[in-house]
Amino acid sequence: MAAFSRGRQIIKAFRTLIFRRNFTAGTFDYDLVVIGGGSGGLACSKEAAQLGHRVAVLDYVEPSLKGTKWGLGGTCVNVGCIPKKLMHQAALLGTAVKDARKYGWQIPESLSHDWPTMAEAVQNYVRSLNWGHRVQLQDKKVKYLNMIGSLVDKHTIRAVNAKGKEMTLTTKNIVLATGGRPKYPTHVPGAVEFGITSDDVFWLRESPKKTLVVGASYVALECAGFLTGIGLDTTVMVRSIALRGFDQQMSGLVTDYMEAYGTKFSWRCTPKSVEKLPSGLLQVTWMDLNTKEEHQDTFNTVLWAVGRAPETKTLNLEKVGVEINKETGKIIVAADEATSVPNIFAIGDIGEGRPELTPTAIKAGKLLARRLVGHSNELMNYESVATTVFTPLEYGCVGLSEEEAEKKHGKDQIEVYHAFYKPLEFTVAERDASQCYIKVVCLREGEQRVLGLHFTGPNAGEVTQGFSLGFQCGLTYEHLRNTVGIHPTCAEEFTKLNITKRSGLDATVTGC
């Protein structure tokens, strides 16, 4: 028996030796395994595979607390940018129909929106994208595993499928790209039991009807905007300020427009409880932080948009030694996306200090793949990344807010050029344009380098995208003034800016 036991120990030691020798020799199952099939993870995996690496992607989405499920592609494709923009478009079409009467279109006075029709069309398109991603992975010879991945050591991943079946993968490098999920305010009784999040709203089969949106992030305002736009009674509950981290003057213009558009706002209020009544309605109790008085109202739906949490808890990071920020749960990353463990990297929303934006995750993933393959040394540039908030009046920006510019350079060292303008398409429709505004924040000295560019108006994303290129080329105020505008467009107004805030002159654009 003792001889048998010694024999087993010898075999085990031999296997361990072979295992270590294989690792040393680089004979892994894969060159790269990516955990997370969102925008960043897919971009990284496909790029690495195209450059000759053996790559696998693990992606498994835990259903939301309400049971909402979706496929490959991550937040952006399934419960973020794509369905959000499509439902925003549905709302814009409603406004366009109203404008159309002024332009001579004979349209019936009574119009109604059918949620199931819109939802089915949006959901079918999202499913087509899920399928498309699977096909692309197959075409690029990336192994796709619909499994939950966790770290065993710096070269080994444990994968488990929905039925509990396990497998182990060995790999030279690991990229973590699991993104984040919406948070619930668990301290509010009834919040989890009766509320939904952005993980659910785009997959509802029936209209949410009268809705309370709690939160004032861009997610909250975008959802409230399209819900109002398709004709639903919508209230936004704001604890402190709207669009934290964005330019606050621009934020005020966005919310002012939304209020005029029909969205109700409960400012400086915080929810205390949510109860379900026998009628099925949700009774929400909240406190006005100014008066300290309690109020109640009933809603069909309560949508929580109070922040997002990184999906890092199931990765087994602590065992392997990957350092995280214990307050945020996000992974500490270096400029090259490296974690505290050699050959383990993190991209996208789970990286501490990284912008939670799809395009940055995609770009970072591609650049990381090229570095891992030895094809390039280029690092991701996270400075001056443009973004747009798709509220009823869209807000696009790139660079610093006015507040950030003042804090960084001092109020006396910056110059702010601005203008209130009226989009031509608003004129015949007789639409209020008092929140359509442009602001360019510059250094006062020298060539007046542009530090921040801000725009509220139609097609803000399309307008801002073009000007963001200028930031990569050292955009100055003189560059703007020397650019010939395209007439008649909203973007043209950037090239005509000549009034500074400092001057105190009226910044309203008159004439062409």
Side-chain angles (χ1 to χ4, degrees):
M1 191 70 178
F4 177 73
S5 178
R6 283 196 300 273
R8 288 184 64 182
Q9 290 175 354
I10 291 170
I11 292 171
K12 184 177 180 180
F14 178 74
R15 284 178 175 170
T16 302
L17 178 63
I18 293 297
F19 185 67
R20 287 175 178 167
R21 285 185 64 188
N22 285 346
F23 271 17
T24 303
T27 54
F28 303 102
D29 298 331
Y30 296 95
D31 299 304
L32 173 65
V33 171
V34 178
I35 303 179
S39 303
L42 291 175
C44 183
S45 63
K46 290 186 287 187
E47 187 75 7
Q50 278 190 302
L51 294 172
H53 265 29
R54 297 166 299 153
V55 183
V57 171
L58 280 70
D59 185 69
Y60 181 87
V61 181
E62 288 283 358
S64 75
L65 293 178
K66 299 303 167 187
T68 307
K69 303 175 183 179
W70 57 85
L72 183 64
T75 296
C76 174
V77 166
N78 295 283
V79 288
C81 318
I82 300 301
K84 176 271 302 288
K85 181 74 181 294
L86 292 173
M87 291 191 178
H88 172 60
Q89 175 64 12
L92 293 181
L93 288 171
T95 302
V97 168
K98 294 173 185 175
D99 288 352
R101 295 190 183 101
K102 294 283 187 178
Y103 281 92
W105 287 97
Q106 301 299 304
I107 296 170
E109 284 300 320
S110 71
L111 293 170
S112 61
H113 179 269
D114 184 64
W115 177 281
T117 300
M118 175 189 70
E120 183 180 9
V122 170
Q123 292 160 15
N124 285 342
Y125 177 66
V126 169
R127 290 189 185 98
S128 75
L129 295 179
N130 298 150
W131 176 251
H133 282 307
R134 295 186 68 161
V135 170
Q136 285 178 23
L137 291 179
Q138 187 174 5
D139 288 347
K140 290 178 169 51
K141 295 181 173 54
V142 176
K143 180 68 175 178
Y144 165 57
L145 299 169
N146 185 209
M147 307 178 84
I148 301 170
S150 60
L151 303 176
V152 177
D153 59 42
K154 65 180 183 178
H155 289 293
T156 311
I157 293 170
R158 174 176 174 263
V160 183
N161 68 12
K163 296 180 180 180
K165 184 179 178 181
E166 294 186 22
M167 65 182 295
T168 300
L169 311 174
T170 62
T171 177
K172 181 181 178 182
N173 291 308
I174 298 170
V175 171
L176 307 174
T178 48
R181 299 288 287 269
K183 294 190 289 189
Y184 276 89
T186 52
H187 66 283
V188 178
V192 177
E193 295 89 338
F194 307 122
I196 66 171
T197 70
S198 58
D199 274 0
D200 308 296
V201 68
F202 304 109
W203 291 88
L204 295 176
R205 294 183 182 277
E206 300 297 329
S207 170
K209 300 179 181 176
K210 182 181 179 183
T211 302
L212 173 66
V213 179
V214 183
S217 63
Y218 73 90
V219 174
L221 298 189
E222 289 175 339
C223 289
F226 72 69
L227 291 174
T228 302
I230 61 174
L232 302 184
D233 184 335
T234 309
T235 301
V236 178
M237 186 172 290
V238 185
R239 184 188 61 190
S240 53
I241 62 173
L243 295 180
R244 185 179 300 280
F246 288 87
D247 187 285
Q248 284 302 292
Q249 181 190 9
M250 308 305 292
S251 171
L253 294 170
V254 167
T255 54
D256 285 349
Y257 186 92
M258 288 182 69
E259 286 191 285
Y261 186 69
T263 305
K264 302 168 189 172
F265 281 81
S266 294
W267 294 99
R268 292 279 296 156
C269 292
T270 184
K272 294 195 70 177
S273 66
V274 182
E275 299 176 68
K276 192 166 189 176
L277 303 177
S279 64
L281 292 175
L282 302 178
Q283 180 173 277
V284 180
T285 303
W286 70 90
M287 176 178 283
D288 185 314
L289 296 175
N290 290 323
T291 65
K292 305 303 180 186
E293 295 178 347
E294 285 193 1
H295 301 273
Q296 285 185 335
D297 198 358
T298 56
F299 301 88
N300 297 95
T301 302
V302 176
L303 171 61
W304 301 104
V306 292
R308 296 177 67 82
E311 285 284 274
T312 54
K313 291 181 180 178
T314 62
L315 292 173
N316 209 20
L317 300 177
E318 293 174 356
K319 180 180 178 181
V320 180
V322 174
E323 186 180 356
I324 65 170
N325 180 323
K326 292 184 178 179
E327 289 186 12
T328 64
K330 293 193 173 189
I331 298 172
I332 306 297
V333 287
D336 62 352
E337 325 303 343
T339 70
S340 55
V341 177
N343 73 271
I344 298 180
F345 303 82
I347 58 173
D349 295 3
I350 58 170
E352 181 66 30
R354 298 301 190 231
E356 296 183 2
L357 296 169
T358 293
T360 55
I362 292 172
K363 182 74 172 177
K366 288 182 177 180
L367 291 175
L368 174 58
R370 292 169 193 167
R371 293 196 300 274
L372 293 177
V373 173
H375 195 263
S376 168
N377 293 317
E378 184 182 356
L379 297 176
M380 174 65 189
N381 176 13
Y382 289 99
E383 295 295 319
S384 299
V385 174
T387 190
T388 292
V389 181
F390 290 99
T391 37
L393 186 70
E394 296 176 3
Y395 165 37
C397 60
V398 57
L400 301 180
S401 66
E402 188 173 349
E403 294 91 344
E404 289 170 333
E406 286 184 5
K407 185 177 180 180
K408 186 172 182 179
H409 299 281
K411 190 168 185 175
D412 291 339
Q413 300 305 313
I414 66 170
E415 196 74 88
V416 179
Y417 295 90
H418 67 147
F420 287 93
Y421 71 100
K422 189 161 192 172
L424 185 62
E425 51 268 49
F426 279 28
T427 54
V428 171
E430 298 179 335
R431 286 174 60 185
D432 179 21
S434 55
Q435 284 85 33
C436 292
Y437 179 71
I438 290 171
K439 174 163 65 174
V440 175
V441 184
C442 307
L443 281 174
R444 288 187 77 185
E445 61 183 20
E447 297 179 317
Q448 292 195 299
R449 179 167 60 87
V450 177
L451 303 172
L453 184 146
H454 303 266
F455 173 93
T456 51
N459 305 301
E462 310 299 339
V463 172
T464 310
Q465 181 69 81
F467 285 104
S468 70
L469 172 62
F471 273 71
Q472 305 304 314
C473 306
L475 181 66
T476 67
Y477 174 65
E478 278 305 303
H479 287 143
L480 285 177
R481 291 290 290 168
N482 290 332
T483 299
V484 178
I486 300 172
H487 190 68
T489 65
C490 297
E492 176 189 20
E493 300 301 332
F494 275 111
T495 69
K496 296 158 58 178
L497 289 174
N498 63 90
I499 294 175
T500 67
K501 273 192 173 183
R502 192 185 306 276
S503 73
L505 298 174
D506 184 2
T508 304
V509 175
T510 57
C512 290

